[in-house]
């Protein structure tokens, strides 16, 4: 897979590092240019030094405090939410939230339960900032496999967490919308977590193409149906299909003559077929092909596989 | 004639001094009233619209008059320093830095809001703000009482001092 330009990735890293308070932020911004370009995540654990996740693994960030404290994690939360934790609480309950620029902040700590559900996290213990970045052209070679004469083949992108599903989805959306390898298509994106387009004051922070309509912060199921009713899309896209309601919405949309593009956590098609939730999705025959992203020696590879004839 | 004019001026000066003392009491009441209204708006916006802090501060700075408006504008202007300063500190610094006609107790009550805002869910913040607002309302009632009696005292003192000076100096 191609990588984005070093400068763009460095700028994304700097934007994410700006969420870190005081010494942590200074140390992160002092990392060598090459490290900043390749960084995928910044990881903070109470009692441990801050680390940066690179394709080859986690490395300590030199020059920062010897130990991250719980207070520092709270400061990150305060900076990331602009002192408005209440606006992110729904997402915090799910364990992560998305900030300006599309960076995802994952949280761990002591959960406070109410009526058997996570209400909030009382004491933070660790935090990861996953750096969002668009990789222009990463899906270009895959576009011919997606396109048909008048639309696209319904396609599901699969990889384990952190594999680059969202980055690939974003670039495929951009290519379809801008008319790369075929005519430009109207794409509707149900961007529940704000990670695909990262809207800020109505403007996408990450490139999603000229003919793309984004519905952000809306549950995927409702978002997909709303886009279908209101925006007359030729392609509907959604990131991380995780619930039966998402699958119901995709099933409904698939019967409306709209192309579907979505992502799910799975090592591959076989892995997906072993899980009851996705097994139903595969059995319904909604998706005609999958794109599997694998990583070997720090290099990501994509493979398109047809689903016809698979024993689901 | 000149003596009468001088005496009148001295009495008017005393009355003016009394008026200045009384207006300080007015200003505290006005300031407390504006902050009570602002906290009520904040409660409503947090419970109904879950407004993010920058938008909430912007709204409060536009809606609040005089010193309270300047206070919220200062908090908003300092928000980019989050990370090097906590929100509670930014709020506290604005309480210290913006000239407000409030006494130390009033400022302490308001400082509590800085430790609550943006830290909890909408309902939690609303409940905490309600307690703070009620304390501020009590401070407002006390200030109004003090103004009622204090104003008379200031005017009486002013006129008395003016008359006394006129008698002594004429």
């Amino acid at each position: 897979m191609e990588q984005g330009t070093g400068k763009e990735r460095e700028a994304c890293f700097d934007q994410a590092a700006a969420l870190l308070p005081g010494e942590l932020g200074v140390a992160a911004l002092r990392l060598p240019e090459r490290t900043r370009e390749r960084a995928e995540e910044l990881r903070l654990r109470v009692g441990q030094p801050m680390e940066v996740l690179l394709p080859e693994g986690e490395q300590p960030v030199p020059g920062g405090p010897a130990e991250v404290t719980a207070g520092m994690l709270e400061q990150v939360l305060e900076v990331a939410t602009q002192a408005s934790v209440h606006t992110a609480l729904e997402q915090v309950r799910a364990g992560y939230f998305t900030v300006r620029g599309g960076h995802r902040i994952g949280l761990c700590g002591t959960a406070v339960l109410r009526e058997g559900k996570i209400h909030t996290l009382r004491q933070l213990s660790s935090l990861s900032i996953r750096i969002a970045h668009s990789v222009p052209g990463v899906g270009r070679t895959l576009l011919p496999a997606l396109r048909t004469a008048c639309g696209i083949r319904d396609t599901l992108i699969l990889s384990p967490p952190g594999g680059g599903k969202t980055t690939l989805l974003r670039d495929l959306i951009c290519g379809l919308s801008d008319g790369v390898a075929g005519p430009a298509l109207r794409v509707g994106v149900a961007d529940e977590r704000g990670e695909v387009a990262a809207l800020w004051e109505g403007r996408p922070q990450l490139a999603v193409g000229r003919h793309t309509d984004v519905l952000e912060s809306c549950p995927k199921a409702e978002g997909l149906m709303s886009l279908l009713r209101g925006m007359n899309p030729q392609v509907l896209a959604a990131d991380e299909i995780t619930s039966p309601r998402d699958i119901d919405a995709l099933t409904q949309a698939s019967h409306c003559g709209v192309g579907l593009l979505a992502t799910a956590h799975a090592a591959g098609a076989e892995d997906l077929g072993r899980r009851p939730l996705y097994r139903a999705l595969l059995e319904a025959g909604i998706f005609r092909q999958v794109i599997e992203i694998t990583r070997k020696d720090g290099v990501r590879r994509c493979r398109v596989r047809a689903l016809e004839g698979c024993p689901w | 004639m000149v003596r009468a004019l001088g005496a009148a001026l001295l009495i008017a000066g005393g009355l003016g001094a009394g008026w200045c003392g009384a207006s300080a009491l007015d200003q505290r009441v006005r300031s407390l009233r504006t902050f009570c209204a602002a906290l009520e708006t904040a409660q409503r916006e947090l419970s109904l619209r879950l407004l993010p802090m920058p938008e909430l501060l912007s709204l409060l700075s536009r809606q609040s008059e005089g010193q309270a408006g300047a206070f919220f504008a200062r908090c908003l202007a300092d928000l980019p320093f989050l990370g090097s300063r906590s929100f509670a500190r930014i709020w506290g610094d604005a309480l210290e830095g913006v000239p407000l006609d409030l006494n130390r107790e009033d400022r302490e009550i308001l400082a509590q809001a800085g430790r609550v805002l943006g830290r909890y869910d909408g309902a939690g913040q609303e409940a905490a703000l309600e307690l703070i607002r009620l304390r501020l309302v009590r401070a407002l009632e006390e200030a109004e009482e003090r103004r009622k009696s204090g104003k008379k005292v200031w005017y009486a003192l002013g006129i008395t001092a003016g008359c006394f000076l006129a008698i002594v100096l004429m």
Side-chain angles (χ1 to χ4, degrees):
Chain A
M1 282 169 87
E2 290 174 49
Q3 296 298 300
T5 66
K7 285 290 165 210
E8 282 168 11
R9 295 197 59 153
E10 202 185 326
C12 289
F13 177 90
D14 291 354
Q15 191 183 36
L19 300 170
L20 298 169
E23 276 183 277
L24 291 171
V26 172
L29 290 171
R30 274 198 198 135
L31 281 168
E33 204 176 298
R34 179 83 185 118
T35 306
R36 279 149 67 195
E37 284 170 15
R38 296 186 310 127
E40 295 176 1
E41 291 180 22
L42 286 160
R43 304 196 70 105
L44 293 89
R45 301 180 179 94
V46 172
Q48 303 291 327
M50 175 170 66
E51 294 191 315
V52 58
L53 178 65
L54 300 170
E56 60 269 27
E58 287 187 37
Q59 287 179 6
V61 176
E67 284 189 2
V68 169
T69 64
M72 289 174 186
L73 300 189
E74 283 181 13
Q75 271 182 291
V76 175
L77 198 60
E78 192 172 68
V79 176
T81 61
Q82 286 283 288
S84 314
V85 171
H86 54 279
T87 58
L89 211 56
E90 275 302 316
Q91 291 188 60
V92 169
R93 283 172 191 146
Y96 68 91
F97 65 101
T98 314
V99 297
R100 183 182 181 183
H103 311 292
R104 177 193 281 198
I105 299 190
L107 299 164
C108 274
T110 309
V112 177
L113 298 183
R114 248 184 222 173
E115 295 169 3
K117 290 182 178 170
I118 295 178
H119 176 63
T120 186
L121 292 173
R122 187 178 58 232
Q123 182 72 61
L124 296 178
S125 60
S126 58
L127 183 152
S128 78
I129 303 174
R130 189 185 290 179
I131 301 154
H133 51 264
S134 52
V135 187
V138 69
R140 187 160 296 214
T141 55
L142 299 167
L143 282 169
L146 253 72
R147 285 187 178 274
T148 61
C150 54
I152 66 159
R153 285 180 194 89
D154 300 329
T155 304
L156 189 60
I157 302 167
L158 305 176
S159 91
K165 291 182 294 297
T166 307
T167 309
L168 178 60
L169 174 71
R170 188 185 300 120
D171 195 59
L172 290 174
I173 290 168
C174 194
L176 294 170
S177 174
D178 282 346
V180 177
L185 299 172
R186 287 187 306 279
V187 186
V189 183
D191 193 7
E192 184 174 354
R193 301 275 178 199
E195 288 181 299
V196 180
L199 288 185
W200 187 260
E201 294 177 348
R203 191 184 291 262
Q205 303 290 296
L206 299 163
V208 286
R210 283 176 289 127
H211 301 99
T212 302
D213 303 303
V214 182
L215 185 54
E216 197 184 81
S217 303
C218 175
K220 276 184 285 288
E222 282 85 348
L224 287 169
M225 297 321 292
S226 177
L227 284 163
L228 194 60
R229 282 191 297 265
M231 300 308 291
N232 185 24
Q234 292 166 294
V235 176
L236 274 177
D239 196 17
E240 291 190 10
I241 300 302
T242 50
S243 76
R245 293 183 64 217
D246 299 342
I247 290 173
D248 285 346
L250 284 173
T251 311
Q252 284 189 50
S254 73
H255 298 135
C256 299
V258 176
L260 299 177
L261 197 53
T263 70
H265 286 302
E270 287 76 16
D271 182 26
L272 202 68
R274 279 194 286 272
R275 287 143 72 189
L277 177 72
Y278 297 112
R279 196 179 175 86
L281 181 72
L282 295 173
E283 282 172 351
I286 295 168
F287 290 100
R288 294 173 60 192
Q289 61 185 16
V290 294
I291 298 174
E292 294 173 344
I293 306 174
T294 53
R295 182 189 271 197
K296 199 175 177 188
D297 302 326
V299 179
R300 293 192 181 98
R301 288 190 172 79
C302 296
R303 183 171 70 137
V304 181
R305 279 181 64 189
L307 286 174
E308 280 93 356
C310 288
W312 319 119
Chain B
M1 179 66 186
V2 175
R3 279 185 167 210
L5 190 65
L9 280 174
L10 282 171
I11 293 168
L15 193 63
W19 182 83
C20 283
S23 71
L25 297 173
D26 270 340
Q27 280 162 0
R28 182 180 170 224
V29 167
R30 206 176 305 133
S31 218
L32 281 170
R33 201 172 280 152
T34 316
F35 273 109
C36 283
L39 287 187
E40 206 175 328
T41 304
Q43 275 179 270
R44 203 170 45 241
E45 292 297 337
L46 285 169
S47 72
L48 296 178
R49 294 206 292 161
L50 285 179
L51 268 194
M53 204 50 61
E55 286 178 40
L56 180 64
L57 290 172
S58 168
L59 178 79
L60 295 178
S61 66
R62 279 182 278 117
Q63 280 191 355
S64 308
E65 292 169 358
Q67 296 173 337
F71 167 80
F72 292 118
R74 165 79 178 265
C75 290
L76 180 63
D78 283 359
L79 266 193
F81 297 110
L82 275 174
S84 56
R85 284 192 282 163
S86 68
F87 181 73
R89 172 93 186 275
I90 286 172
W91 182 274
D93 286 350
L95 271 178
E96 295 293 320
V98 176
L100 299 170
D101 291 315
L102 299 173
N103 64 25
R104 218 182 64 196
E105 285 78 22
D106 302 336
R107 285 167 197 266
E108 274 169 14
I109 296 170
L110 277 173
Q112 288 176 3
R115 295 191 281 272
V116 167
L117 280 169
R119 286 181 63 89
Y120 305 100
D121 61 357
Q125 288 183 71
E126 192 200 350
L129 285 182
E130 175 63 8
L131 289 177
I132 294 166
R133 195 182 64 82
L134 287 177
R135 287 189 62 194
L136 219 52
V137 167
R138 276 200 292 276
L140 171 64
E141 286 165 356
E142 175 260 326
E144 280 173 335
E145 278 299 312
R146 187 172 287 185
R147 180 179 66 170
K148 211 181 285 176
S149 54
K151 257 184 159 175
K152 286 177 196 160
V153 172
W154 275 109
Y155 286 134
L157 270 175
I159 291 174
T160 311
C163 291
F164 177 74
L165 281 173
I167 293 163
V168 169
L169 297 175
M170 293 300 123

